[in-house]
Amino acid sequence: MAVIVQKYGGSSVANAERIKHVAGRIGQCHDRGNRVVAVVSAMGDTTDHLIELAHQVAPSPAPREMDLLLSTGEIVSCTLVAMALQDLGYKAVSLSGGQAGIRTDTAHTRARITGLEPDRIQRELEKGHIVIVAGFQGVTEEMDITTLGRGASDLTAVALAAGLQAERCEIYTDVEGIYTADPRLVPKARKLKEIGFEEMLELANYGAKMQPRSIELAAVYNVPVLVSSSFVEAPGTLIHGGVGMEVRNKVRGIAADRDVAKITVLGVPDRPGIVAALFDPLAQEGISVDTIVQNASVEHITDVTFTVSRRDLRRALEVIGPVVKSIGSRGCASDDRLAKVSIVGTGMLNAPGFAATMFRTLAEAGINIEMITTSEIRITCLVAEDRVPAAVQALHAAFRLDEDQ
């Protein structure tokens, strides 16, 4: 019997009717002869409401207590789904992340999985039970509950699929799959039948609706991931490592990420060790830095610009403030009204014309490029946030992504 790991997002379990619907889908998968483990997110906007409540009680709640609080949202969902399955006549059991064997480090609110001990899940499957696991959470060696970061129920599902050597991991959400662009921005966006891990990781990192760490883990353990809708019966998108040669040297998708803030440190002395002095404190505070640009030095003075998540902007400015003074910089400036627009495709950077087409298309649309960064399969431009819809629509048309390829 194959092991299938499914994951249902918050919109899929938003109310009692949706929970009953999800239970029916899980039961159908079990009826086909599979051993089923289902990971569920918190119902609807539960996590946001809990965060808001916490900040009403305490302006700066302790991360440990926040993790314990936020973990309850997924506990509610998984127990309700188990009850619904039992009501349909199935043997089902709900487990917290800790009970499911997910072990993490102690970085509260953004913990990383350090190990998986799925013995309890395997015992329940041997009994013929359907196992429902609370996503987004784990437990430390000291038995403190941790959360894995927003959107990390995807990560829970992929980790369990890898640990249980599942046939595949199925991610069910409110969209039918992975599209060439956000359908809300581009009505003609096409659903992809398949996409490679590398391309999906770039799309996820730059705005597509998947948790990037889950794609990284799926690639490492070669876990095929099917992304599909829990609302309608329709083929989804398979994310896997065996995408053929015919998709090379093509733009596969356009991603847009509005969670961007830019910081420019002005008048930085151009000498060894200065850049390390700027970024080491950010790393120690767990602040991720993405795009970095250092201007050409003029009389041994330069500017250094980098991007962070908007939610990290205030903390980043606080961290580098003392450093800016100590190195003799003129100060720093920031802007949180920006966004990243990216084109993604395997082999794209080694083929001529893609960058030129992207830059020309944005220019013709009257969109200014603030910064540019690239990887082997991605070209990203930083633009004004209010120009994102126009940029995505123009690029989608320029690379003819609305046409079958």
Side-chain angles (χ1 to χ4, degrees):
M1 296 175 68
V3 175
I4 303 296
V5 176
Q6 298 184 335
K7 178 262 178 177
Y8 292 91
S11 59
S12 299
V13 293
N15 54 46
E17 285 304 312
R18 293 302 309 162
I19 286 172
K20 291 179 181 179
H21 176 75
V22 162
R25 293 181 66 107
I26 295 170
Q28 290 171 8
C29 185
H30 180 269
D31 291 342
R32 291 193 288 269
N34 300 305
R35 294 180 175 181
V36 185
V37 178
V39 175
V40 293
S41 299
M43 296 173 63
D45 297 325
T46 297
T47 301
D48 290 333
H49 292 322
L50 289 172
I51 292 172
E52 181 181 351
L53 181 61
H55 284 281
Q56 289 175 2
V57 172
S60 300
R64 180 191 180 277
E65 308 310 323
M66 282 296 290
D67 273 358
L68 188 56
L69 172 67
L70 297 183
S71 70
T72 62
E74 277 69 19
I75 296 294
V76 169
S77 296
C78 77
T79 53
L80 290 173
V81 171
M83 291 175 189
L85 280 162
Q86 291 163 5
D87 189 61
L88 292 173
Y90 296 97
K91 294 188 293 183
V93 60
S94 60
L95 300 176
S96 68
Q99 290 173 317
I102 297 172
R103 303 291 181 252
T104 76
D105 61 20
T106 59
H108 286 287
T109 74
R110 57 179 188 276
R112 301 191 73 84
I113 296 174
T114 58
L116 184 65
E117 301 168 6
D119 298 353
R120 173 71 184 277
I121 295 177
Q122 290 169 333
R123 291 198 302 271
E124 298 293 348
L125 292 175
E126 290 291 336
K127 296 175 186 177
H129 290 169
I130 297 172
V131 181
I132 313 300
V133 178
F136 173 63
Q137 62 187 256
V139 67
T140 69
E141 290 185 3
E142 299 298 320
M143 299 305 293
D144 280 330
I145 291 176
T146 55
T147 62
L148 308 175
R150 296 303 296 265
S153 290
D154 290 355
L155 180 62
T156 301
V158 172
L160 290 176
L164 295 167
Q165 297 182 323
E167 182 175 290
R168 66 182 176 276
C169 179
E170 300 174 349
I171 306 291
Y172 290 102
T173 180
D174 54 1
V175 296
E176 295 183 18
I178 304 301
Y179 286 77
T180 52
D182 186 340
R184 294 170 298 182
L185 297 178
V186 185
K188 291 184 178 181
R190 290 184 304 106
K191 181 173 64 179
L192 298 170
K193 294 180 180 178
E194 62 174 358
I195 189 169
F197 287 128
E198 288 186 352
E199 291 173 326
M200 188 64 239
L201 181 58
E202 292 283 15
L203 287 172
N205 272 320
Y206 289 86
K209 196 174 182 180
M210 278 291 291
Q211 216 268 358
R213 287 161 60 193
S214 67
I215 303 302
E216 289 178 346
L217 195 65
V220 169
Y221 289 96
N222 197 28
V223 176
V225 178
L226 176 70
V227 180
S228 191
S229 172
S230 65
F231 292 81
V232 297
E233 294 295 334
T237 300
L238 183 64
I239 307 169
H240 63 116
V243 178
M245 289 294 292
E246 68 274 8
V247 303
R248 291 184 60 84
N249 300 333
K250 292 181 179 179
V251 174
R252 297 276 281 157
I254 313 291
D257 179 12
R258 288 181 167 90
D259 185 19
V260 181
K262 180 180 74 170
I263 297 175
T264 300
V265 183
L266 304 165
V268 178
D270 189 7
R271 61 175 184 266
I274 290 294
V275 174
L278 281 173
F279 292 107
D280 279 347
L282 294 170
Q284 292 169 13
E285 288 295 316
I287 298 173
S288 295
V289 174
D290 187 18
T291 306
I292 303 173
V293 174
Q294 179 173 322
N295 293 340
S297 174
V298 178
E299 296 182 355
H300 303 291
I301 299 294
T302 186
D303 294 340
V304 177
T305 301
F306 59 95
T307 61
V308 296
S309 168
R310 285 184 183 174
R311 63 181 176 272
D312 288 333
L313 176 59
R314 181 180 60 82
R315 194 154 53 100
L317 291 172
E318 291 173 352
V319 169
I320 67 169
V323 180
V324 168
K325 292 180 180 178
S326 69
I327 64 176
S329 167
R330 297 202 314 268
C332 58
S334 63
D335 188 349
D336 62 356
R337 296 165 299 175
L338 299 170
K340 294 171 186 167
V341 176
S342 306
I343 60 173
V344 175
T346 302
M348 186 179 64
L349 203 63
N350 294 321
F354 289 98
T357 300
M358 183 179 194
F359 303 153
R360 183 178 64 253
T361 299
L362 294 177
E364 290 173 351
I367 298 169
N368 186 52
I369 299 173
E370 301 261 349
M371 298 170 65
I372 300 167
T373 182
T374 66
S375 74
E376 289 188 357
I377 63 173
R378 170 188 52 79
I379 303 172
T380 297
C381 293
L382 202 66
V383 302
E385 182 187 16
D386 61 1
R387 302 310 312 275
V388 165
V392 173
Q393 292 163 12
L395 291 169
H396 197 272
F399 289 104
R400 301 168 64 184
L401 293 181
D402 56 335
E403 302 174 10
D404 288 333
Q405 299 180 35

